[in-house]
Amino acid sequence: MKVLIVDDHALIREALHAVLKQLKREAVIFQASNSRQAMHIVEEHPDISLILLDINLPDRDGFSVLRELRDRYATIAIIILSSSDDQDTVKLAFKLGALGFIPKTTEREVMLNAIELVFSGGVYIPSEILEETTCPRLTNKPATRDSPRGLGLTDRQIEVLALMMKGRSNKVIAQTLNMAVPTVKNHITVVLKALSVTSRTEAVVKVGKMGWELSPKSES
């Protein structure tokens, strides 16, 4: 497994290196201090599994780097690192294809869990965002029901939603519920429509704010 850390602060790179080695001792870890070095490393190692990308780079806006990486290397998982955790910044990161967002103030144990979740195919959203109460994009169409069943979802669709909330990938959901991946995708389409959102990330945020307790029977 190959991982790339992109940050202009050597101390932060070394700290992240230690975290990654604790999580994946066998990982091959590359480091870059700017976007030019980062793109050169990715070109030489297109089989990199994960990139930890600071959005405040000295030579280029990190969001433009994220956009380019998503366009050119769609299979690489990318986690954004930022000293800012305001909602607009987080939402933009996910909109551009990030699978995780880790504020630099995050505690080591939480950071480990976040990286491990993305490694396993999930999406990590910082708890501060899930707890945020003012999110116009997600609240301009509030659900008028107090439960997923009230939105017209079937038991199967509620189970799919519960597994989405746990950060499970479509493939893992299919294996857990013993169904085909295309069937899972169809269920997710229905769930997103019922919640009036357009992505899995928005669904997780919205359900988290609603406070619904979802527990997939297949994992209980």
Side-chain angles (χ1 to χ4, degrees):
M1 178 174 289
K2 297 179 180 179
V3 181
L4 171 61
I5 301 169
V6 188
D7 196 293
D8 59 331
H9 293 94
L11 287 176
I12 291 178
R13 293 199 305 272
E14 289 305 317
L16 289 168
H17 185 284
V19 169
L20 288 164
K21 278 297 185 181
Q22 180 180 341
L23 192 63
K24 300 282 183 180
R25 186 176 297 275
E26 74 282 6
V28 177
I29 301 172
F30 301 98
Q31 296 185 24
S33 61
N34 56 48
S35 67
R36 183 181 56 78
Q37 290 178 4
M39 297 309 296
H40 179 68
I41 291 172
V42 177
E43 286 169 4
E44 287 192 335
H45 303 274
D47 57 339
I48 284 174
S49 302
L50 174 70
I51 297 176
L52 298 174
L53 175 65
D54 182 15
I55 57 172
N56 295 310
L57 297 173
D59 61 339
R60 187 176 169 190
D61 173 53
F63 284 127
S64 68
V65 178
L66 171 59
R67 186 182 288 109
E68 181 178 349
L69 287 168
R70 279 278 60 85
D71 290 342
R72 294 176 58 186
Y73 306 97
T75 61
I76 300 177
I78 301 173
I79 295 177
I80 290 297
L81 303 169
S82 176
S83 54
S84 169
D85 60 357
D86 69 276
Q87 206 159 70
D88 288 340
T89 301
V90 177
K91 286 196 294 183
L92 179 57
F94 284 115
K95 183 178 180 180
L96 293 177
L99 292 181
F101 189 102
I102 301 178
K104 290 185 177 180
T105 54
T106 301
E107 294 180 0
R108 183 186 182 92
E109 198 61 35
V110 176
M111 191 175 291
L112 273 170
N113 292 336
I115 295 172
E116 188 168 28
L117 177 60
V118 174
F119 265 135
S120 64
V123 175
Y124 175 74
I125 304 172
S127 58
E128 304 94 293
I129 302 304
L130 289 176
E131 294 166 1
E132 179 61 62
T133 57
T134 55
C135 182
R137 186 177 175 192
L138 299 179
T139 56
N140 58 1
K141 294 182 180 178
T144 56
R145 303 291 187 270
D146 59 2
S147 72
R149 201 180 304 280
L151 294 177
L153 298 179
T154 65
D155 288 344
R156 208 57 164 163
Q157 288 159 357
I158 292 172
E159 282 210 295
V160 169
L161 175 57
L163 289 166
M164 284 170 56
M165 291 296 294
K166 288 177 172 286
R168 305 294 189 261
S169 65
N170 289 357
K171 184 177 180 181
V172 171
I173 293 175
Q175 293 171 344
T176 302
L177 300 180
N178 193 27
M179 61 173 68
V181 172
T183 303
V184 171
K185 291 180 179 178
N186 290 338
H187 282 319
I188 290 176
T189 298
V190 173
V191 168
L192 297 183
K193 185 175 181 180
L195 289 169
S196 297
V197 297
T198 58
S199 71
R200 288 174 62 123
T201 301
E202 288 184 8
V204 170
V205 172
K206 192 163 189 176
V207 172
K209 288 168 60 181
M210 287 175 172
W212 291 342
E213 292 296 329
L214 300 175
S215 178
K217 298 175 184 176
S218 301
E219 287 200 337
S220 59

